[in-house]
Amino acid sequence: MQNPFTLPSLYRDADVEGMTDGWDDVTAYGYEWPSHTRSLRLGARNSGLFYVRATVEAVRMMARLKGRMQREAVWDQTAYNEEMW
C-alpha cells in the first residue's frame, strides 16, 4: 500500500477527482463490449476513493450526498455519479 495523495495520477486540477471502474485508460472512459450485439460499456465513477478540494461547490456536493444517504435508499456510488453530472 502507498499514500494515494502522492501518486502522479492525482492532478489536483479539479474540485473533485476520483477513480473509475475502468481498468486502464481506454475502459476508464467507456469501451465497446465484444459481443454479437455491439454495445458500449461505461465505467462508473467509483465512490471508494476520491480527492475533494475545499471549495464551496465541492462542499455543497458533499452536503447533497450526505442528505441523500440519510433520506434515500440509494447506493452511494449511484448517488455520487448522479451528483457529479
Side-chain angles (χ1 to χ4, degrees):
M1 296 203 44
Q2 65 188 115
N3 181 349
F5 297 109
T6 61
L7 296 174
S9 56
L10 185 62
Y11 295 102
R12 299 175 194 259
D13 62 349
D15 289 353
V16 179
E17 290 188 64
M19 59 186 182
T20 73
D21 286 342
W23 54 86
D24 59 18
D25 287 345
V26 174
T27 59
Y29 299 100
Y31 58 97
E32 189 174 321
W33 187 255
S35 68
H36 67 282
T37 60
R38 295 179 64 178
S39 63
L40 180 66
R41 301 289 174 142
L42 299 174
R45 300 218 183 269
N46 192 303
S47 60
L49 177 66
F50 47 90
Y51 170 81
V52 179
R53 186 180 301 275
T55 63
V56 172
E57 294 82 4
V59 170
R60 286 181 184 151
M61 181 181 140
M62 293 297 119
R64 287 192 310 271
L65 283 170
K66 177 184 173 188
R68 290 189 66 183
M69 296 299 103
Q70 292 173 335
R71 292 186 314 274
E72 301 174 26
V74 63
W75 185 29
D76 62 335
Q77 186 163 310
T78 299
Y80 176 67
N81 277 275
E82 290 172 351
E83 294 298 329
M84 286 290 289
W85 306 112

Coordinates of all heavy atoms in Angstrom, one line a residue:
M1 N 0.8 -1.2 0.0 CA 0.0 0.0 0.0 C 0.9 1.2 0.0 O 2.0 1.2 0.5 CB -0.9 0.0 1.2 CG -1.9 -1.2 1.2 SD -3.4 -1.0 2.2 CE -3.9 0.6 1.9
Q2 N 0.3 2.3 -0.6 CA 1.0 3.6 -0.6 C 0.1 4.7 -0.4 O -1.1 4.5 -0.6 CB 1.9 3.7 -1.8 CG 1.1 3.8 -3.1 CD 2.0 3.8 -4.3 OE1 2.0 2.8 -5.1 NE2 2.9 4.7 -4.5
N3 N 0.5 5.8 -0.1 CA -0.3 7.0 0.1 C -0.8 7.5 -1.2 O -0.1 7.8 -2.1 CB 0.6 8.1 0.7 CG -0.2 9.4 1.0 OD1 -1.3 9.6 0.5 ND2 0.4 10.3 1.7
P4 N -2.1 7.4 -1.4 CA -2.7 7.8 -2.7 C -2.5 9.3 -3.1 O -2.6 9.6 -4.2 CB -4.2 7.4 -2.6 CG -4.5 7.5 -1.1 CD -3.2 7.1 -0.5
F5 N -2.3 10.1 -2.1 CA -2.1 11.5 -2.4 C -0.7 11.9 -2.9 O -0.5 13.0 -3.3 CB -2.4 12.3 -1.1 CG -3.9 12.1 -0.7 CD1 -4.2 11.4 0.4 CD2 -4.9 12.6 -1.5 CE1 -5.5 11.2 0.8 CE2 -6.2 12.4 -1.1 CZ -6.5 11.7 0.0
T6 N 0.2 10.9 -3.0 CA 1.5 11.2 -3.6 C 1.6 10.5 -5.0 O 2.7 10.7 -5.6 CB 2.6 10.6 -2.7 OG1 2.4 9.2 -2.6 CG2 2.6 11.2 -1.3
L7 N 0.6 9.9 -5.5 CA 0.6 9.3 -6.8 C 0.6 10.3 -7.9 O -0.1 11.4 -7.8 CB -0.6 8.3 -7.0 CG -0.6 7.1 -6.0 CD1 -1.9 6.4 -6.2 CD2 0.6 6.2 -6.3
P8 N 1.3 10.1 -9.0 CA 1.2 11.0 -10.1 C -0.1 11.1 -10.8 O -0.3 12.0 -11.6 CB 2.3 10.5 -11.1 CG 2.5 9.1 -10.7 CD 2.1 8.9 -9.3
S9 N -1.0 10.2 -10.6 CA -2.3 10.2 -11.2 C -3.3 11.2 -10.6 O -4.4 11.4 -11.1 CB -2.9 8.8 -11.2 OG -3.0 8.3 -9.8
L10 N -2.9 11.8 -9.5 CA -3.7 12.8 -8.8 C -3.2 14.2 -9.3 O -2.1 14.6 -9.0 CB -3.6 12.7 -7.3 CG -4.5 13.6 -6.5 CD1 -6.0 13.3 -6.8 CD2 -4.2 13.5 -5.0
Y11 N -4.1 14.8 -10.2 CA -3.6 16.1 -10.8 C -3.9 17.3 -10.0 O -3.3 18.3 -10.2 CB -4.3 16.2 -12.2 CG -3.9 15.1 -13.1 CD1 -4.7 14.0 -13.4 CD2 -2.6 15.2 -13.8 CE1 -4.3 13.0 -14.3 CE2 -2.2 14.2 -14.6 CZ -3.0 13.1 -14.9 OH -2.6 12.2 -15.7
R12 N -4.9 17.3 -9.1 CA -5.3 18.4 -8.3 C -5.7 19.6 -9.1 O -5.5 20.8 -8.8 CB -4.2 18.8 -7.3 CG -3.9 17.6 -6.3 CD -2.7 18.0 -5.4 NE -2.2 16.8 -4.8 CZ -2.4 16.5 -3.5 NH1 -3.2 17.2 -2.8 NH2 -1.9 15.4 -3.0
D13 N -6.4 19.4 -10.3 CA -6.8 20.4 -11.1 C -8.3 20.6 -11.2 O -8.8 21.2 -12.1 CB -6.2 20.3 -12.5 CG -6.7 19.0 -13.2 OD1 -7.3 18.2 -12.6 OD2 -6.5 18.9 -14.4
A14 N -9.0 19.9 -10.3 CA -10.5 19.9 -10.3 C -10.9 19.9 -8.8 O -10.2 19.6 -7.9 CB -11.0 18.7 -11.0
D15 N -12.2 20.3 -8.6 CA -12.7 20.3 -7.3 C -12.8 18.9 -6.7 O -12.6 18.6 -5.5 CB -14.1 20.9 -7.2 CG -14.0 22.4 -7.4 OD1 -12.9 23.0 -7.5 OD2 -15.1 23.1 -7.6
V16 N -13.2 17.9 -7.6 CA -13.3 16.5 -7.2 C -12.6 15.6 -8.2 O -12.8 15.7 -9.4 CB -14.8 16.1 -7.1 CG1 -14.9 14.6 -6.7 CG2 -15.6 17.0 -6.1
E17 N -11.7 14.8 -7.7 CA -11.0 13.8 -8.5 C -11.3 12.5 -8.0 O -11.2 12.3 -6.7 CB -9.5 14.1 -8.6 CG -9.1 15.3 -9.3 CD -7.6 15.4 -9.5 OE1 -7.0 14.5 -10.1 OE2 -7.0 16.3 -8.9
G18 N -11.6 11.5 -8.8 CA -11.9 10.2 -8.3 C -11.4 9.1 -9.3 O -10.9 9.4 -10.4
M19 N -11.6 7.9 -8.9 CA -11.3 6.8 -9.8 C -12.5 6.3 -10.5 O -13.7 6.6 -10.1 CB -10.6 5.7 -9.0 CG -11.5 5.1 -7.9 SD -10.5 4.0 -6.9 CE -11.7 3.4 -5.8
T20 N -12.3 5.5 -11.5 CA -13.5 4.9 -12.2 C -13.4 3.4 -12.0 O -12.5 2.8 -11.5 CB -13.4 5.2 -13.7 OG1 -12.4 4.4 -14.3 CG2 -13.3 6.6 -14.0
D21 N -14.4 2.7 -12.5 CA -14.4 1.2 -12.5 C -13.7 0.7 -13.7 O -13.6 -0.5 -13.9 CB -15.9 0.7 -12.5 CG -16.5 0.9 -11.2 OD1 -15.8 1.1 -10.2 OD2 -17.8 0.9 -11.1
G22 N -13.1 1.5 -14.6 CA -12.3 1.0 -15.7 C -11.0 0.5 -15.2 O -10.6 0.9 -14.1
W23 N -10.4 -0.3 -16.0 CA -9.1 -0.9 -15.5 C -7.9 -0.4 -16.3 O -6.8 -0.9 -16.0 CB -9.2 -2.5 -15.5 CG -9.6 -3.0 -16.9 CD1 -8.8 -3.3 -17.9 CD2 -10.9 -3.3 -17.3 NE1 -9.5 -3.7 -19.0 CE2 -10.8 -3.8 -18.6 CE3 -12.2 -3.3 -16.7 CZ2 -11.9 -4.2 -19.4 CZ3 -13.3 -3.6 -17.4 CH2 -13.2 -4.1 -18.7
D24 N -8.1 0.4 -17.3 CA -7.0 1.1 -18.0 C -7.5 2.4 -18.6 O -8.7 2.8 -18.4 CB -6.4 0.1 -19.0 CG -7.4 -0.3 -20.1 OD1 -8.5 0.3 -20.2 OD2 -7.1 -1.3 -20.8
D25 N -6.7 3.1 -19.3 CA -7.1 4.4 -19.9 C -8.3 4.3 -20.8 O -9.1 5.2 -20.8 CB -5.9 5.0 -20.6 CG -4.8 5.6 -19.6 OD1 -5.1 5.7 -18.4 OD2 -3.7 5.9 -20.1
V26 N -8.3 3.2 -21.6 CA -9.5 3.1 -22.5 C -10.8 2.8 -21.8 O -11.8 3.5 -22.0 CB -9.2 2.0 -23.5 CG1 -10.3 1.7 -24.4 CG2 -7.9 2.3 -24.3
T27 N -10.8 1.8 -20.9 CA -12.0 1.5 -20.2 C -12.5 2.5 -19.2 O -13.6 2.5 -18.8 CB -11.9 0.1 -19.5 OG1 -10.8 0.1 -18.6 CG2 -11.6 -1.0 -20.6
A28 N -11.6 3.4 -18.8 CA -12.0 4.4 -17.8 C -13.0 5.4 -18.4 O -13.8 6.0 -17.7 CB -10.8 5.2 -17.4
Y29 N -13.0 5.5 -19.7 CA -14.0 6.4 -20.4 C -15.1 5.7 -21.2 O -15.8 6.3 -21.9 CB -13.2 7.3 -21.4 CG -12.1 8.1 -20.6 CD1 -10.8 7.7 -20.6 CD2 -12.5 9.2 -19.9 CE1 -9.9 8.5 -19.9 CE2 -11.6 10.0 -19.2 CZ -10.3 9.6 -19.2 OH -9.3 10.4 -18.6
G30 N -15.1 4.4 -21.1 CA -16.1 3.6 -21.8 C -15.5 2.8 -22.9 O -14.4 3.2 -23.4
Y31 N -16.0 1.7 -23.3 CA -15.4 0.9 -24.3 C -16.5 0.0 -25.0 O -17.6 -0.2 -24.4 CB -14.4 -0.1 -23.6 CG -14.9 -0.9 -22.5 CD1 -15.3 -2.3 -22.8 CD2 -15.1 -0.4 -21.2 CE1 -15.8 -3.1 -21.8 CE2 -15.6 -1.2 -20.2 CZ -16.0 -2.5 -20.5 OH -16.5 -3.3 -19.5
E32 N -16.2 -0.4 -26.2 CA -17.1 -1.3 -26.9 C -17.0 -2.7 -26.4 O -15.9 -3.3 -26.3 CB -16.7 -1.2 -28.4 CG -17.8 -1.9 -29.2 CD -17.5 -1.7 -30.7 OE1 -17.1 -0.7 -31.1 OE2 -17.7 -2.7 -31.5
W33 N -18.1 -3.3 -26.0 CA -18.1 -4.7 -25.5 C -18.1 -5.6 -26.6 O -18.9 -5.6 -27.5 CB -19.4 -4.8 -24.6 CG -19.4 -6.1 -23.9 CD1 -20.2 -7.2 -24.2 CD2 -18.7 -6.5 -22.7 NE1 -20.0 -8.2 -23.3 CE2 -19.1 -7.8 -22.4 CE3 -17.8 -5.8 -21.9 CZ2 -18.6 -8.5 -21.3 CZ3 -17.3 -6.5 -20.8 CH2 -17.7 -7.8 -20.5
P34 N -17.1 -6.6 -26.6 CA -17.0 -7.5 -27.7 C -18.1 -8.6 -27.6 O -17.9 -9.6 -26.9 CB -15.6 -8.1 -27.6 CG -15.3 -7.9 -26.2 CD -16.0 -6.7 -25.7
S35 N -19.2 -8.4 -28.3 CA -20.3 -9.4 -28.2 C -21.0 -9.4 -29.6 O -20.7 -8.6 -30.5 CB -21.3 -9.1 -27.1 OG -22.0 -8.0 -27.4
H36 N -21.9 -10.3 -29.8 CA -22.7 -10.4 -31.0 C -23.5 -9.1 -31.2 O -23.9 -8.8 -32.3 CB -23.5 -11.7 -31.2 CG -24.6 -11.7 -30.2 ND1 -24.4 -12.1 -28.9 CD2 -25.9 -11.5 -30.3 CE1 -25.5 -12.1 -28.2 NE2 -26.5 -11.7 -29.1
T37 N -23.9 -8.5 -30.2 CA -24.6 -7.2 -30.3 C -23.7 -6.1 -29.8 O -23.3 -6.1 -28.6 CB -25.9 -7.2 -29.4 OG1 -25.5 -7.4 -28.0 CG2 -26.9 -8.3 -29.8
R38 N -23.3 -5.3 -30.7 CA -22.3 -4.3 -30.3 C -22.9 -3.3 -29.3 O -24.0 -2.8 -29.5 CB -21.9 -3.5 -31.6 CG -21.1 -4.4 -32.5 CD -20.8 -3.7 -33.8 NE -19.8 -2.6 -33.4 CZ -19.2 -1.8 -34.3 NH1 -19.5 -1.9 -35.5 NH2 -18.4 -0.9 -33.9
S39 N -22.2 -3.2 -28.2 CA -22.7 -2.3 -27.1 C -21.6 -1.5 -26.5 O -20.4 -1.9 -26.6 CB -23.5 -3.1 -26.1 OG -22.6 -4.0 -25.4
L40 N -21.9 -0.4 -26.0 CA -20.9 0.4 -25.3 C -21.1 0.3 -23.8 O -22.2 0.4 -23.3 CB -21.1 1.9 -25.7 CG -20.2 2.9 -25.1 CD1 -18.7 2.7 -25.6 CD2 -20.6 4.3 -25.4
R41 N -20.0 0.0 -23.1 CA -20.0 -0.1 -21.7 C -19.3 1.1 -21.1 O -18.3 1.5 -21.6 CB -19.2 -1.4 -21.2 CG -19.8 -2.7 -21.8 CD -21.1 -3.0 -21.1 NE -21.6 -4.2 -21.7 CZ -22.3 -5.1 -21.1 NH1 -22.4 -5.0 -19.8 NH2 -22.8 -6.2 -21.7
L42 N -19.9 1.7 -20.1 CA -19.3 2.8 -19.5 C -18.9 2.5 -18.0 O -19.7 1.9 -17.3 CB -20.4 4.0 -19.4 CG -20.8 4.5 -20.8 CD1 -21.9 5.5 -20.6 CD2 -19.7 5.0 -21.6
G43 N -17.7 2.9 -17.7 CA -17.2 2.7 -16.3 C -17.8 3.8 -15.5 O -17.6 5.0 -15.8
A44 N -18.4 3.5 -14.4 CA -18.9 4.5 -13.5 C -17.8 5.1 -12.6 O -16.7 4.4 -12.4 CB -20.0 3.9 -12.6
R45 N -17.9 6.3 -12.2 CA -17.0 6.8 -11.2 C -17.2 6.1 -9.9 O -18.3 5.9 -9.5 CB -17.2 8.3 -11.1 CG -17.1 9.1 -12.4 CD -16.4 10.4 -12.1 NE -16.3 11.1 -13.4 CZ -15.3 11.1 -14.2 NH1 -14.3 10.3 -13.9 NH2 -15.3 11.8 -15.3
N46 N -16.1 5.7 -9.3 CA -16.2 4.9 -8.1 C -16.1 5.8 -6.9 O -15.3 6.6 -6.8 CB -15.1 3.8 -8.1 CG -15.2 2.8 -7.0 OD1 -15.4 3.1 -5.9 ND2 -15.3 1.6 -7.5
S47 N -17.0 5.6 -5.9 CA -17.0 6.4 -4.8 C -16.1 5.9 -3.6 O -16.2 6.4 -2.5 CB -18.5 6.6 -4.2 OG -19.0 5.3 -3.9
G48 N -15.3 4.9 -3.9 CA -14.5 4.3 -2.9 C -13.3 5.2 -2.5 O -12.9 5.1 -1.4
L49 N -12.8 6.0 -3.4 CA -11.7 6.8 -3.1 C -11.7 8.1 -4.0 O -11.8 7.9 -5.2 CB -10.3 6.1 -3.4 CG -9.1 6.9 -3.2 CD1 -8.9 7.3 -1.7 CD2 -7.9 6.1 -3.7
F50 N -11.8 9.2 -3.4 CA -11.8 10.4 -4.2 C -11.1 11.6 -3.4 O -11.0 11.5 -2.2 CB -13.1 10.9 -4.7 CG -14.2 10.8 -3.7 CD1 -14.5 12.0 -2.9 CD2 -15.0 9.7 -3.5 CE1 -15.6 11.9 -2.0 CE2 -16.1 9.7 -2.6 CZ -16.3 10.8 -1.8
Y51 N -10.6 12.5 -4.2 CA -9.9 13.7 -3.6 C -10.9 14.9 -3.8 O -11.4 15.1 -4.9 CB -8.6 14.0 -4.3 CG -8.0 15.3 -4.0 CD1 -7.2 15.4 -2.8 CD2 -8.2 16.4 -4.8 CE1 -6.6 16.7 -2.5 CE2 -7.6 17.6 -4.5 CZ -6.8 17.7 -3.3 OH -6.2 18.9 -3.0
V52 N -11.2 15.6 -2.7 CA -12.1 16.7 -2.8 C -11.4 18.0 -2.3 O -10.8 18.0 -1.2 CB -13.3 16.5 -1.8 CG1 -14.3 17.6 -1.9 CG2 -14.1 15.2 -2.2
R53 N -11.4 18.9 -3.2 CA -10.8 20.2 -2.9 C -11.8 21.0 -2.1 O -13.0 20.9 -2.3 CB -10.4 21.0 -4.2 CG -9.7 22.3 -4.0 CD -9.4 23.0 -5.3 NE -8.6 22.1 -6.2 CZ -7.3 22.1 -6.2 NH1 -6.6 22.8 -5.4 NH2 -6.7 21.3 -7.1
A54 N -11.3 21.8 -1.1 CA -12.2 22.5 -0.2 C -12.7 23.8 -0.9 O -12.3 24.9 -0.6 CB -11.5 22.8 1.1
T55 N -13.7 23.6 -1.8 CA -14.3 24.7 -2.4 C -15.8 24.8 -2.0 O -16.3 23.7 -1.6 CB -14.2 24.6 -4.0 OG1 -14.9 23.5 -4.4 CG2 -12.7 24.6 -4.4
V56 N -16.4 25.9 -2.3 CA -17.8 26.0 -1.9 C -18.6 25.0 -2.7 O -19.5 24.3 -2.1 CB -18.3 27.4 -2.2 CG1 -19.8 27.5 -2.1 CG2 -17.6 28.4 -1.3
E57 N -18.3 24.8 -4.0 CA -19.1 23.8 -4.8 C -18.9 22.4 -4.3 O -19.9 21.6 -4.3 CB -18.6 24.0 -6.3 CG -19.0 25.3 -6.9 CD -18.0 26.4 -6.6 OE1 -17.0 26.2 -6.0 OE2 -18.3 27.5 -7.0
A58 N -17.7 22.0 -4.0 CA -17.4 20.7 -3.5 C -18.1 20.4 -2.2 O -18.6 19.3 -2.0 CB -15.9 20.4 -3.4
V59 N -18.1 21.4 -1.3 CA -18.7 21.2 0.0 C -20.3 21.1 -0.2 O -20.9 20.2 0.4 CB -18.4 22.4 0.9 CG1 -19.3 22.4 2.2 CG2 -17.0 22.4 1.3
R60 N -20.8 21.8 -1.2 CA -22.3 21.7 -1.5 C -22.6 20.3 -2.0 O -23.6 19.7 -1.6 CB -22.7 22.7 -2.5 CG -22.8 24.1 -1.9 CD -23.3 25.1 -3.0 NE -23.3 26.4 -2.4 CZ -23.1 27.5 -3.1 NH1 -22.9 27.4 -4.4 NH2 -23.1 28.7 -2.6
M61 N -21.7 19.8 -2.9 CA -21.9 18.4 -3.4 C -21.9 17.4 -2.3 O -22.7 16.5 -2.2 CB -20.9 18.1 -4.4 CG -21.1 16.7 -5.1 SD -19.8 16.4 -6.3 CE -19.5 14.7 -5.9
M62 N -20.9 17.5 -1.4 CA -20.8 16.5 -0.3 C -22.0 16.6 0.7 O -22.5 15.6 1.2 CB -19.5 16.8 0.5 CG -18.2 16.5 -0.2 SD -18.1 14.7 -0.7 CE -18.0 14.9 -2.5
A63 N -22.5 17.9 0.9 CA -23.7 18.0 1.7 C -24.9 17.4 1.0 O -25.7 16.7 1.7 CB -24.0 19.5 1.9
R64 N -25.0 17.5 -0.3 CA -26.1 16.8 -1.0 C -26.0 15.3 -0.9 O -27.0 14.6 -0.7 CB -26.1 17.2 -2.5 CG -26.6 18.6 -2.8 CD -26.9 18.9 -4.2 NE -25.9 18.5 -5.2 CZ -24.8 19.3 -5.5 NH1 -24.7 20.5 -5.1 NH2 -23.9 18.9 -6.4
L65 N -24.8 14.8 -1.0 CA -24.6 13.4 -0.9 C -24.9 12.9 0.5 O -25.6 11.9 0.7 CB -23.1 13.0 -1.2 CG -22.8 13.0 -2.7 CD1 -21.3 12.8 -2.9 CD2 -23.5 11.9 -3.4
K66 N -24.5 13.6 1.5 CA -24.9 13.3 2.9 C -26.4 13.2 3.1 O -26.9 12.3 3.7 CB -24.2 14.3 3.9 CG -24.6 14.0 5.3 CD -24.1 15.1 6.2 CE -24.6 14.9 7.6 NZ -24.2 16.1 8.5
G67 N -27.1 14.2 2.6 CA -28.5 14.3 2.7 C -29.2 13.1 2.0 O -30.1 12.5 2.5
R68 N -28.7 12.8 0.8 CA -29.2 11.6 0.1 C -29.0 10.3 0.8 O -29.9 9.5 0.9 CB -28.7 11.6 -1.3 CG -29.2 12.7 -2.2 CD -28.8 12.6 -3.6 NE -29.5 11.4 -4.2 CZ -29.3 11.0 -5.4 NH1 -28.4 11.6 -6.2 NH2 -29.9 9.9 -5.9
M69 N -27.8 10.2 1.4 CA -27.5 8.9 2.1 C -28.5 8.8 3.4 O -28.8 7.7 3.7 CB -26.1 8.9 2.6 CG -25.0 8.9 1.5 SD -25.1 7.4 0.4 CE -25.9 8.2 -1.0
Q70 N -28.8 9.9 3.9 CA -29.7 9.9 5.1 C -31.2 9.7 4.8 O -31.9 9.0 5.5 CB -29.6 11.2 5.9 CG -28.2 11.4 6.6 CD -28.1 12.8 7.2 OE1 -28.7 13.8 6.7 NE2 -27.2 12.9 8.1
R71 N -31.6 10.2 3.6 CA -33.0 10.2 3.3 C -33.4 9.0 2.3 O -34.5 8.6 2.4 CB -33.4 11.5 2.6 CG -33.4 12.7 3.4 CD -34.0 13.9 2.7 NE -33.4 14.1 1.4 CZ -32.3 14.7 1.1 NH1 -31.6 15.3 2.0 NH2 -31.9 14.9 -0.2
E72 N -32.5 8.6 1.4 CA -32.9 7.7 0.4 C -32.2 6.3 0.5 O -31.2 6.2 1.1 CB -32.4 8.3 -1.0 CG -33.0 9.6 -1.3 CD -32.4 10.2 -2.6 OE1 -31.9 9.4 -3.5 OE2 -32.4 11.4 -2.8
A73 N -32.9 5.4 0.0 CA -32.3 4.0 -0.1 C -31.5 3.9 -1.4 O -32.0 3.3 -2.3 CB -33.4 2.9 0.0
V74 N -30.4 4.7 -1.5 CA -29.7 4.7 -2.7 C -28.3 4.3 -2.5 O -27.7 4.5 -1.4 CB -29.7 6.2 -3.3 CG1 -29.0 7.1 -2.3 CG2 -29.0 6.3 -4.6
W75 N -27.7 3.6 -3.5 CA -26.3 3.1 -3.4 C -25.4 4.3 -3.4 O -25.6 5.2 -4.3 CB -26.1 2.2 -4.5 CG -24.7 1.5 -4.5 CD1 -23.9 1.2 -3.4 CD2 -24.0 1.0 -5.7 NE1 -22.8 0.5 -3.8 CE2 -22.8 0.4 -5.2 CE3 -24.3 1.0 -7.0 CZ2 -21.9 -0.2 -6.1 CZ3 -23.4 0.5 -7.9 CH2 -22.2 -0.1 -7.4
D76 N -24.4 4.4 -2.6 CA -23.6 5.6 -2.5 C -22.9 5.9 -3.9 O -22.8 7.1 -4.3 CB -22.5 5.5 -1.4 CG -21.5 4.3 -1.6 OD1 -21.9 3.3 -2.3 OD2 -20.4 4.4 -1.1
Q77 N -22.5 4.9 -4.6 CA -21.9 5.1 -5.9 C -22.8 5.7 -6.9 O -22.5 6.5 -7.7 CB -21.2 3.8 -6.4 CG -20.4 4.0 -7.7 CD -19.5 2.9 -8.0 OE1 -18.7 2.5 -7.1 NE2 -19.5 2.4 -9.2
T78 N -24.1 5.2 -6.9 CA -25.1 5.8 -7.8 C -25.3 7.2 -7.5 O -25.3 8.1 -8.4 CB -26.4 5.0 -7.6 OG1 -26.2 3.6 -8.0 CG2 -27.5 5.6 -8.5
A79 N -25.5 7.6 -6.2 CA -25.7 9.0 -5.8 C -24.5 9.8 -6.2 O -24.6 10.9 -6.7 CB -26.0 9.1 -4.3
Y80 N -23.3 9.3 -6.0 CA -22.1 10.0 -6.3 C -22.0 10.3 -7.8 O -21.8 11.5 -8.2 CB -20.9 9.2 -5.9 CG -19.5 9.7 -6.2 CD1 -19.0 10.9 -5.7 CD2 -18.7 9.1 -7.1 CE1 -17.8 11.4 -6.0 CE2 -17.4 9.5 -7.4 CZ -17.0 10.7 -6.9 OH -15.7 11.2 -7.2
N81 N -22.3 9.3 -8.7 CA -22.3 9.5 -10.1 C -23.4 10.5 -10.5 O -23.2 11.4 -11.4 CB -22.5 8.2 -10.8 CG -21.2 7.5 -11.0 OD1 -20.4 7.7 -11.9 ND2 -20.9 6.6 -10.0
E82 N -24.6 10.4 -9.9 CA -25.7 11.4 -10.3 C -25.3 12.8 -9.9 O -25.6 13.7 -10.7 CB -27.0 10.9 -9.6 CG -27.5 9.7 -10.2 CD -28.7 9.1 -9.5 OE1 -29.0 9.6 -8.4 OE2 -29.3 8.1 -10.0
E83 N -24.7 13.0 -8.7 CA -24.4 14.3 -8.3 C -23.2 14.9 -9.1 O -23.1 16.1 -9.2 CB -24.0 14.3 -6.8 CG -25.2 14.0 -5.9 CD -26.4 15.0 -6.0 OE1 -26.1 16.2 -6.3 OE2 -27.5 14.6 -5.8
M84 N -22.3 14.0 -9.6 CA -21.1 14.5 -10.3 C -21.6 15.1 -11.6 O -21.0 16.1 -12.1 CB -20.2 13.4 -10.7 CG -19.3 12.9 -9.5 SD -18.1 14.1 -9.0 CE -17.0 14.0 -10.4
W85 N -22.7 14.6 -12.2 CA -23.1 15.1 -13.5 C -24.3 16.0 -13.4 O -24.7 16.7 -14.2 CB -23.4 14.0 -14.5 CG -22.3 13.0 -14.6 CD1 -22.2 11.8 -14.1 CD2 -21.0 13.3 -15.1 NE1 -21.0 11.2 -14.3 CE2 -20.2 12.1 -14.9 CE3 -20.4 14.4 -15.7 CZ2 -18.9 12.1 -15.4 CZ3 -19.1 14.3 -16.1 CH2 -18.3 13.1 -16.0

